[in-house]
Amino acid sequence: MSILIYAESAEGKFKKVAFELASYAKKIAESTGTTVTALTINAGDVSELGKYGVDKVLKVNNDKLANFTAKAYADAIKQAAEKEGAKIVILSSTTDSLYTAPLVAVSLNAGYASNVVALPLSTSPFQVKRNAFSNKAFNITQIDTDVKVLAIGKNSFGLVESNGAAAAEDFAPSISDADFGVKVQSVEKGSGKVTIADADVVVSGGRGLKGPENWGMIEELAAVLGAATACSKPVSDLGWRPHSEHVGQTGKPVATNLYIAIGISGAIQHIAGVNSSKVKVAINSDPEAPFFKVADYGVVGDAFQVVPALIEKLKAF
Ligand code: FAD
């Protein structure tokens, strides 16, 4: 049984999830006596992967794959899995990989489990624990097909460093023009220096901030914490912030180490998308705001007083 991970990168640099997947796969490899191969697509320097347990890297460099295209990426992953004889193929739960993973599973005739949140409970039979019902419950899923495809939830598994060095090999999968029926033509970056997908800390603002002109303090707090900025759905619907920042059930899922919700009531659809964050902090002037029911820490107060005071304290730290 060999294991293939797809190590995601952006602009030639690995995303943190690539190292999480490597660490996760290495643990399975150690317990089952096999090796970990990583597929990279236009990733630049791949040596870092060895530090997280990858034994071998299949490097794809192909201008056609410069922008993410689900079918083409799925084809590359499928061919890498076949070349390596991989029995477990592991992707992350980023938006891109959640498009790709089911296509990979279908093409390999494999069983597929998404939102996996822990190491397999057993490898024979193969059983994994998954988040279900917008992270309100877990289920145990058994995959009985020869090849298994998993999508691992972000921050479900910490980084584990090992002393290894990965051997790199060029790999040129045959990508058909038919794979580009739907093609991303260009990518426009959202605001914020840190992307929500890569962030360990997210500072998120809601309608309680009254208007886009008040986002300066949210951006400042995010800058002090090295955090990404996010917002509730109405805020992006109103055009106060870009849609790329909308988090929740119908927006981006957030599973960070720290999520700070400022002037966000905590509607069920918002909580559903951010509940997997390890520590949740709410700042809200209404002590009855539902967010306080799920928050680990809460500040009842006016955001326009609390946030500047918090920034000042953090800067003095
Ligand atoms: P509000 O509910 O208006 O809350 C504003 C909060 O700010 C209040 O709690 C108030 O007490 C507080 N406040 C006011 N002034 C201050 C102040 N000075 N200082 C501190 N606090 C203050 N929403 C999402 O966010 N993400 C989703 O993915 C999403 N998907 C949805 C899908 C469906 C099908 C539906 C029906 C709704 C969805 N929603 C989603 C909308 C959701 O139901 C809520 O309407 C929304 O989350 C509320 O946004 P909010 O908390 O910013 O605004």
Side-chain angles (χ1 to χ4, degrees), residues 204-210 215 217 231-237 240 246-252 259 261-274 283-292 299-307:
S204 191
R207 207 150 41 177
L209 291 170
K210 322 287 186 215
W215 242 261
M217 63 180 186
C231 67
S232 64
K233 182 174 185 297
V235 165
S236 67
D237 287 350
W240 295 359
H246 160 200
V247 296
Q249 191 170 21
T250 50
K252 285 203 173 86
Y259 181 75
I262 303 169
I264 296 177
S265 57
I268 190 166
Q269 299 89 354
H270 185 89
I271 299 297
V274 305
I283 300 172
N284 198 303
S285 53
D286 175 6
E288 301 297 323
F291 210 117
F292 287 124
V299 180
V300 178
D302 182 348
F304 296 97
Q305 292 174 1
V306 175
V307 176

Side-chain angles (χ1 to χ4, degrees), residues 89-118:
V89 180
I90 307 177
L91 292 89
S92 67
S93 288
T94 61
T95 311
D96 287 355
S97 279
L98 285 179
Y99 278 119
T100 319
L103 298 173
V104 174
V106 168
S107 64
L108 291 170
N109 210 10
Y112 168 53
S114 60
N115 286 324
V116 175
V117 292

